[in-house]
Amino acid sequence: MTQAAFCPAPRLDAPTLLARYGQPVPRYTSYPTAPHFSPAVDAATYASWLAEVPGDARVSAYVHVPFCAELCLYCGCQTAVARSRTPVKAYAERLVAEIGLVARHLPGRLKLSHLHFGGGTPTMLADEDFASILGALRETFDFAPDAEIAIEIDPRVMDADKVETLAREGFNRASLGVQDFDPAVQQAIGRHQSCEETQAVADALRAAGIAALNLDLMYGLPHQDKASVRRTVEAALGLDPDRIAVFGYAHVPWMKKHQALIPEDALPGAAERLAQAELVADMLAAHGYVPVGLDHFARASDAMAERAAAGTLKRNFQGYTTDDAPVLIGFGASAIGALPQGYVQNLPATPTWHKAVEAGTLPIGRGVALSDEDRLRRHVIERLMCDLAVDLDAACAQYGFPRGFFADEIHALEPLIVDGLAFRHGAVVEVPEAARPFTRVVCAVFDARLAASRAAAPEQKRHAAVV
């Protein structure tokens, strides 16, 4: 759904909007969100869900590798520093075993359309690890000829041999972690990475045939200001990526203890964070990148931009994606899977995940079964996150709910409409382009579980800042 010309701009200045709507809200990579997962969904539940997958279903897979050469202080991922080859090798062997466990419960060799290796730093895996893991996956799944096989890369731990390995194993998309090129910012976050070494990795990947490249940038990091962010974006544009993800740093030292090493007085305030995000968006738009959802950008010719324009973009735990397979299977500690029946998450601690797989048990720690209402609300939130618009009547009809089901939500939207963060034309709710950074605030209106979540625990302990 395209943005209508009559959508208003926010009527309040940025500081007032942030004061009024800046409370933490979920990132909405799923609905229900991860805080609502529970141990009630266990290995037996997952086994039954896998067995119920239709034999002709398309699937995608995510492989989590929770190791890094060193820990970046901003990191919110499930990862640990590996000082030797031993834990990584053992983990790779156990991944192969987990793939075998899942295969036993599937109805057959399903068609796989997307595969994503994330972390951590997946390229901590050795050549033989990639060969064994990809071999097991290819035995379990029938890879589509045009399957996207993607991997997240830390350019600081790449070399020519690793690039050759990735090309040999069929990877065709790579996401390069950058975050920021400013030396002062890098010093504060413990990540020293030059533009030159990043360019060298990008060049090597393209030369090896891995031509689809993404970049990850961040705003809201310590010592960042608009001038430093501008320099980073200019350098990033010189790398000529197809897609750029721009994430706001989530400072959650109560969850990630290492973040306490970042001096809070060096962090930009909410208004400065918003200014940085808007600066990045303006610069990328000026260079021909199309905004995709909340925080992604892509060349107009890229499949992600085309999906966004067509209203068929999707969102999952890796962010915005062109992957519309109805089944996502997660492998590795903390990995999350999504099936028609609900979500499952593997045990997050690597030692307990190891023990479960070694015992021959699907290593599920928690999950959530979807109700019909969950599916409806998930659709509404996903369309808002992807399209900045949703037709509530059409959504209700699609999921078997009566018109008027969202009467309470429409009433709750009124203050946001008054302030210019949303617009409603009948049953169609839209987020104006100028209010794009506040999209999650609009989504939260349709989150029936959020109020209970906030009552159970302080919201700042669960979710990230709006901007």
Side-chain angles (χ1 to χ4, degrees), residues 192-210:
H192 301 278
Q193 175 183 338
S194 71
C195 185
E196 290 73 19
E197 65 183 319
T198 308
Q199 181 73 66
V201 172
D203 291 343
L205 289 166
R206 288 179 171 124
I210 305 174

Side-chain angles (χ1 to χ4, degrees), residues 14 25 29 58 82 85 109 121 134 160 247 280 296 314:
V25 290
T29 51
R58 291 179 300 105
R85 162 81 179 129
R109 193 163 172 262
T121 305
L134 267 296
F247 303 113
V280 175
H296 282 46
K314 305 294 287 184

Side-chain angles (χ1 to χ4, degrees), residues 454-465:
R454 286 172 169 168
E459 59 205 39
Q460 68 268 25
K461 301 294 185 182
R462 289 175 174 263
H463 305 303

Side-chain angles (χ1 to χ4, degrees), residues 118-184:
T121 305
T123 49
M124 293 288 288
L125 296 170
D127 295 358
E128 58 266 29
D129 299 333
F130 278 111
S132 60
I133 295 167
L134 267 296
L137 289 169
R138 286 193 167 96
E139 287 182 8
T140 302
F141 302 106
D142 176 18
F143 279 47
D146 59 348
E148 180 176 283
I149 307 176
I151 188 167
E152 297 169 12
I153 288 176
D154 181 344
R156 301 171 302 165
V157 291
M158 284 293 290
D159 56 31
D161 289 342
K162 188 70 68 179
V163 171
E164 182 180 338
T165 296
L166 298 181
R168 182 172 63 249
E169 295 298 337
F171 287 89
N172 48 32
R173 180 175 291 279
S175 292
L176 304 182
V178 171
Q179 321 320 335
D180 191 282
F181 282 126
D182 185 89

